[in-house]
Amino acid sequence: MNIAFIGLGNMGGPMARNLVKAGHVVTVFDLNKEAVAGLVAEGAKSAASPAEAAREAAFVLTMLPAPAHVEAVLTGLQGVLSGATKGVPIVDCSTIDPATARRLAERCTAQGNPFADAPVSGGTGGATAGTLTFMVGADEALFAQAQPVLQAMGKNIVHCGGTGTGQVAKICNNLLLAISMIGVSEAMTLGASLGIDTKVLAGIINTSSGRCWSADTYNPFPGVMDAVPASRGYTGGFGVDLMLKDLALATDAAKGAHQPLMLGALAQQLYQAWSQQGQGKLDFSSIIRMYQPPQ
């Protein structure tokens, strides 16, 4: 299949690479010329604009940082909608707010292009390994059409409901992830300050009622786990500023729904404070350093 892929960041690059490996003809666009060149070297084609990338495509995928980027890439002067043929599906894998996803769906549908929101979970490791979870908001026909394409990049393709529900699932998941990472950070630093071996503590938590992904798969305490950001100075992974963006999406959505979000609001303030200390590019698990003595 001819696929246009727009957005070759830490997640989008590996995702597009897996589409190439699966045998698809992939045309890519990104403002980062080095990222484009890397994909071209592995068999992709390059385009000068989103419109050009979409022109010959039978399927369009976008993976971008924020709602404003998605809107510009789809509806801008040289955007996807100015190049895509009527009937070609557009699937956005970015994490944006449900309201923007639904508004873009209306715009795309009015032009004759079905639209789905399909944010992902699984991090850069899952993107590289092709084991991502896709949370898809679409009608059943479009979900069935998108599923074979998404399976080249992910292991779990979940139909969440109508347009926008994929984003609902994603912001709720990341809201809980942020809160749980703060909780694990508090527990691990408390244990260390009281004298327990942190590997022993982590082992107990991971086989007891405190077990969660932030503890057993992505533990933030240095030296507890290998191959996680805590083992490499919190570089790589999912940045503080990206988590802060997702928390803002969750708290904004909660305001619109008149839904209290006490722990979510506190988590947002903690990550905001950490970002303002110049730590926005570190992995979000670095929030544990707020509980540790200055180094």
Side-chain angles (χ1 to χ4, degrees):
M1 183 184 291
N2 287 340
I3 297 174
F5 199 107
I6 299 156
L8 303 176
N10 291 338
M11 295 293 291
M15 291 166 66
R17 192 167 290 112
N18 283 329
L19 289 172
V20 173
K21 290 178 181 177
H24 295 292
V25 177
V26 183
T27 302
V28 298
F29 173 81
D30 194 281
L31 295 177
N32 185 332
K33 303 305 180 186
E34 290 184 7
V36 172
L39 263 295
V40 170
E42 296 186 39
K45 299 180 180 180
S46 66
S49 67
E52 183 180 314
R55 197 157 288 133
E56 302 297 326
F59 201 95
V60 177
L61 288 158
T62 56
M63 186 61 167
L64 300 158
H69 301 104
V70 180
E71 194 144 16
V73 161
L74 294 185
T75 67
L77 188 62
Q78 289 295 314
V80 167
L81 289 177
S82 66
T85 303
K86 184 177 179 179
V88 170
I90 298 170
V91 176
D92 177 45
C93 299
S94 319
T95 298
I96 62 176
D97 59 287
T100 296
R102 289 168 178 144
R103 186 174 67 251
L104 290 172
E106 291 177 0
R107 178 74 180 271
C108 293
T109 302
Q111 185 169 304
N113 297 101
F115 176 91
D117 56 299
V120 304
S121 180
T124 53
T128 300
T131 57
L132 293 170
T133 292
F134 285 85
M135 294 157 269
V136 186
D139 62 37
E140 291 185 4
L142 179 53
F143 176 74
Q145 191 175 2
Q147 195 169 12
V149 175
L150 300 181
Q151 283 173 338
M153 301 175 289
K155 183 172 64 174
N156 302 306
I157 318 300
V158 182
H159 188 201
C160 298
T163 307
T165 57
Q167 299 298 346
V168 171
K170 178 62 187 291
I171 63 174
C172 290
N173 179 79
N174 278 24
L175 167 69
L176 182 56
L177 175 60
I179 294 168
S180 71
M181 183 57 74
I182 292 168
V184 172
S185 295
E186 288 195 2
M188 293 298 299
T189 51
L190 174 62
S193 70
L194 294 175
I196 192 172
D197 183 294
T198 51
K199 285 190 176 182
V200 172
L201 175 59
I204 292 169
I205 290 172
N206 295 340
T207 54
S208 303
S209 55
R211 180 185 178 191
C212 62
W213 188 89
S214 294
D216 70 8
T217 304
Y218 213 79
N219 198 288
F221 203 94
V224 169
M225 297 183 70
D226 297 327
V228 295
S231 70
R232 53 177 186 267
Y234 302 99
T235 57
F238 187 67
V240 167
D241 284 344
L242 290 175
M243 179 57 83
L244 185 57
K245 181 206 80 170
D246 288 359
L247 285 167
L249 293 174
T251 53
D252 287 347
K255 289 175 185 176
H258 304 289
Q259 179 67 35
L261 215 66
M262 283 81 80
L263 291 180
L266 177 57
Q268 183 181 18
Q269 291 303 307
L270 287 169
Y271 275 102
Q272 182 70 64
W274 191 227
S275 177
Q276 286 181 337
Q277 293 179 40
Q279 311 301 328
K281 302 301 181 185
L282 293 180
D283 182 76
F284 81 104
S285 63
S286 67
I287 195 74
I288 195 172
R289 287 184 171 174
M290 291 191 75
Y291 294 93
Q292 296 171 330
Q295 298 180 357

